Amino acid sequence: MHIPTRMRAWLAAVVVAGLGLVACSRGQESCELDPAVAKVSAPVALERLEKPFFQIKSPADAAQFIKAHGLFARQFLQSGQYPGEVLSTTLARLATNPGLQKLGAQADTTFRAEQLKQQLQPLFQHIRYYFPDFRVPPVKTFVSGLSQDLFVNDSLLVISTDFFVGPKAAYLPNVPSYIQRRYTKEHLLPALALAISSKYNQKQLANQTMLGEMVQFGKALYFAEKVLPCTADSLIMGYTSKEMAGVNFNEGKIWAHFLDKNLLYNTAPFTIQKYIGERPNIPEIDKTCPGRVGAWIGWQIVRKYMAEHPNVTLKQLMAEKNAQRILNESRYRPKQNRGRLS
């Protein structure tokens, strides 16, 4: 099954890269790899394309780069959609751009090959532990000029390292600041986990409701939680610590808003996006309520469902299309706290 090639911005919300270790309660400072997961074979074939890319000095050099990296060129660069000379000229222009060279040097310092392999392997081991049919694709790193953050499918995984340098980067992704803060080294693995989750995350295609979208995103977040254990919820969700404290304290009030406003079975895309899509906040609930809170509530529903059904596997959860069943059988009824969070 094909995994979407372009990340939704909200998918770049997640976890500290480099933990790579598991089998502990969430929030512990150190974790040990579960022995059952440690036995899973998931070798990482990583190739850094930044160096040969920045060695390009002319369209002729670029043509050789395209020829030498055919799979990457076809799938990530979409070479079949452009006349050869157009793509070669564009690559040469990018590779010789001083600004991009500076950003590329920062990306190279931020991401070291061996360290990145060590971070990726536990992620892939966990995915293969839960989904033995998962085949680890070859991994390529590249500097795309901030044109595309990630590319993931069954045969190739591309990481545009220039997206994830962080706030001190020479150039930053052209997105709002509340999204920009999630483009850091620490958010790379979670973004990958969420992207890969879509390979297994089944949904009803017709008559999409608010509840359906909430649970769909909730399953994706739960997947990321399971394949990247010992990661703070704030990092998985992409919220600040203050935002996370707020939604945890006000969980009952947030849920009551969905019920009181009869939102769960609303099918209007615009309304659904107000609660699921990217926004700095959701003033319909409260001016301090962060965007995407519908996805966070969906995550809590899925967590409660899995707690009520300990024999349900992650694979079975991801295959479940019936959001109503998940809600009903979760017995999700958060209590409302009185007062306000100080």
Side-chain angles (χ1 to χ4, degrees):
M1 179 183 294
H2 178 74
I3 303 172
T5 60
R6 182 77 179 176
M7 295 291 294
R8 295 183 187 181
W10 85 277
L11 286 181
V14 270
V15 133
V16 161
L19 289 176
L21 306 163
V22 298
C24 65
S25 61
R26 298 179 64 75
Q28 271 184 248
E29 292 184 0
S30 62
C31 302
E32 294 181 0
L33 190 64
D34 186 317
V37 176
K39 294 178 182 178
V40 177
S41 176
V44 180
L46 174 66
E47 183 179 12
R48 302 297 299 266
L49 297 183
E50 296 94 328
K51 184 176 180 179
F53 170 67
F54 282 116
Q55 288 175 341
I56 294 173
K57 303 301 179 186
S58 68
D61 292 340
Q64 288 299 313
F65 176 86
I66 292 168
K67 183 178 180 180
H69 306 284
L71 178 65
F72 170 81
R74 289 191 303 274
Q75 297 202 17
F76 185 78
L77 299 179
Q78 300 288 296
S79 58
Q81 296 186 15
Y82 307 98
E85 63 274 12
V86 172
L87 182 57
S88 296
T89 301
T90 300
L91 285 181
R93 176 172 53 80
L94 288 172
T96 56
N97 181 284
L100 188 58
Q101 290 174 345
K102 181 178 181 180
L103 182 58
Q106 289 181 304
D108 185 63
T109 301
T110 303
F111 293 96
R112 297 300 186 185
E114 284 305 312
Q115 183 184 43
L116 185 56
K117 286 179 68 174
Q118 292 172 5
Q119 294 165 355
L120 288 169
Q121 184 165 341
L123 167 64
F124 293 144
Q125 284 179 296
H126 279 88
I127 296 172
R128 293 206 69 234
Y129 174 76
Y130 291 110
F131 300 89
D133 65 328
F134 176 75
R135 294 185 179 183
V136 180
V139 180
K140 315 289 185 183
T141 62
F142 187 63
V143 173
S144 69
L146 299 176
S147 64
Q148 182 171 344
D149 49 9
L150 296 171
F151 177 100
V152 188
N153 69 16
D154 289 339
S155 58
L156 181 65
L157 190 160
V158 179
I159 300 168
S160 290
T161 52
D162 50 336
F163 265 92
F164 297 92
V165 171
K168 294 184 179 180
Y171 300 93
L172 297 171
N174 186 25
V175 293
S177 59
Y178 66 92
I179 299 174
Q180 204 172 78
R181 74 186 184 211
R182 302 192 303 246
Y183 273 118
T184 69
K185 177 182 178 180
E186 290 73 27
H187 292 88
L188 173 58
L189 288 190
L192 285 173
L194 288 165
I196 294 171
S197 75
S198 63
K199 176 180 174 69
Y200 303 103
N201 200 352
Q202 300 298 305
K203 66 183 292 186
Q204 291 179 337
L205 299 179
N207 301 317
Q208 274 301 301
T209 63
M210 179 81 74
L211 175 62
E213 290 294 295
M214 292 166 69
V215 170
Q216 183 75 4
F217 283 112
K219 290 196 296 174
L221 291 162
Y222 188 83
F223 178 98
E225 171 186 336
K226 298 300 288 183
V227 301
L228 292 170
C230 300
T231 300
D233 289 358
S234 59
L235 294 171
I236 291 181
M237 191 66 206
Y239 283 171
T240 65
S241 57
K242 183 177 181 180
E243 288 171 336
M244 184 55 61
V247 294
N248 277 316
F249 183 82
N250 292 299
E251 181 178 357
K253 293 180 180 179
I254 296 169
W255 179 240
H257 176 87
F258 282 91
L259 299 181
D260 295 344
K261 301 297 182 181
N262 297 314
L263 291 171
L264 292 184
Y265 306 105
N266 192 301
T267 59
F270 179 75
T271 302
I272 292 173
Q273 282 304 302
K274 281 185 177 182
Y275 296 91
I276 300 294
E278 288 288 3
R279 298 174 76 187
N281 55 31
I282 304 179
E284 290 84 357
I285 297 177
D286 187 89
K287 64 181 181 180
T288 64
C289 182
R292 300 176 293 115
V293 79
W296 182 80
I297 288 290
W299 187 12
Q300 309 319 304
I301 292 171
V302 170
R303 279 176 159 176
K304 187 65 165 58
Y305 171 80
M306 293 300 281
E308 293 286 332
H309 299 80
N311 294 326
V312 173
T313 66
L314 182 60
K315 187 174 184 178
Q316 290 170 332
L317 169 70
M318 300 304 284
E320 177 58 73
K321 299 179 181 180
N322 193 324
Q324 187 65 57
R325 179 182 296 134
I326 290 176
L327 174 61
N328 291 346
E329 297 186 9
S330 72
R331 300 181 182 181
Y332 178 71
R333 299 179 184 87
K335 295 181 179 179
Q336 290 196 41
N337 289 318
R338 300 192 176 204
R340 298 181 66 87
L341 181 66
S342 60

